[in-house]
Amino acid sequence: MRAGIGIHQVLARTDLPPARHALVDQLIDAYLRRLGGERPIKPFERLAINTFGASLADDLAAKLMTRDNIAVLLQTGTVRSNVELGSIPPLADVDLSNVPALMGRIVLIKPVESSLRLGASRDVGSISMHFAANGWRLSAVNLPSTMMAKLVERLPAR
């Protein structure tokens, strides 16, 4: 990154379990949106997807959310997968010296959590940071909806 913060410093301050859980939530949400676009989703089906689908999504998230894969994602903006998913702007390209532009991309989620959009548009991806006892830690990599749709398009619709 331009202002001296390296990817390895970010990785040293990454909480993998919350990052993986955030990806599971994104996968389940994208799958439910996909099904909802094709047909109405019954309440019991939604419960089953949230319960049993989470274990399948967790397996995929565990493969995607390793320290090595997060490093590649933050440096290059690409996700390692056997399917072309597209990319997000790399964290390494965030210009920390342009404070006004940077402040316009930070969203306060709650007093101990904030999100940083990785580009100017709304759906380019973001990272979330939460404040723990020893400082700010990466807690999520939020992929764009187009990437999430490509991840879930291979899942069954029934």
Side-chain angles (χ1 to χ4, degrees), residues 25-158:
D25 289 347
Q26 291 174 61
L27 287 165
I28 295 294
D29 183 56
Y31 186 66
L32 287 171
R33 274 188 276 124
R34 177 181 161 221
L35 288 181
E38 296 175 5
R39 60 184 169 76
I41 302 171
K42 298 175 182 156
F44 183 73
E45 183 181 21
R46 182 177 298 276
L47 176 66
I49 290 169
N50 278 321
T51 304
F52 301 112
S55 63
L56 296 173
D58 189 53
D59 184 48
L60 176 59
K63 292 175 184 172
L64 293 174
M65 285 286 153
T66 65
R67 287 203 183 276
D68 290 340
N69 286 345
I70 291 174
V72 169
L73 178 64
L74 295 177
Q75 287 176 320
T76 68
T78 58
V79 175
R80 288 183 183 168
S81 175
N82 56 357
V83 175
E84 176 57 41
L85 299 174
S87 64
I88 63 175
L91 180 61
D93 287 351
V94 173
D95 184 4
L96 298 177
S97 65
N98 188 351
V99 175
L102 187 64
M103 293 307 292
R105 295 181 359 202
I106 294 176
V107 176
L108 183 66
I109 298 170
K110 46 187 155 179
V112 295
E113 185 176 1
S114 62
S115 176
L116 170 66
R117 255 191 354 253
L118 297 174
S121 70
R122 295 256 180 239
D123 193 31
V124 295
S126 65
I127 60 168
S128 293
M129 305 284 288
H130 75 269
F131 190 78
N134 57 351
W136 289 96
R137 300 186 62 84
L138 178 72
S139 59
V141 176
N142 305 301
L143 299 176
S145 59
T146 54
M147 289 179 80
M148 295 308 299
K150 288 180 181 178
L151 278 170
V152 300
E153 73 185 3
R154 299 176 297 157
L155 299 175
R158 304 242 179 246

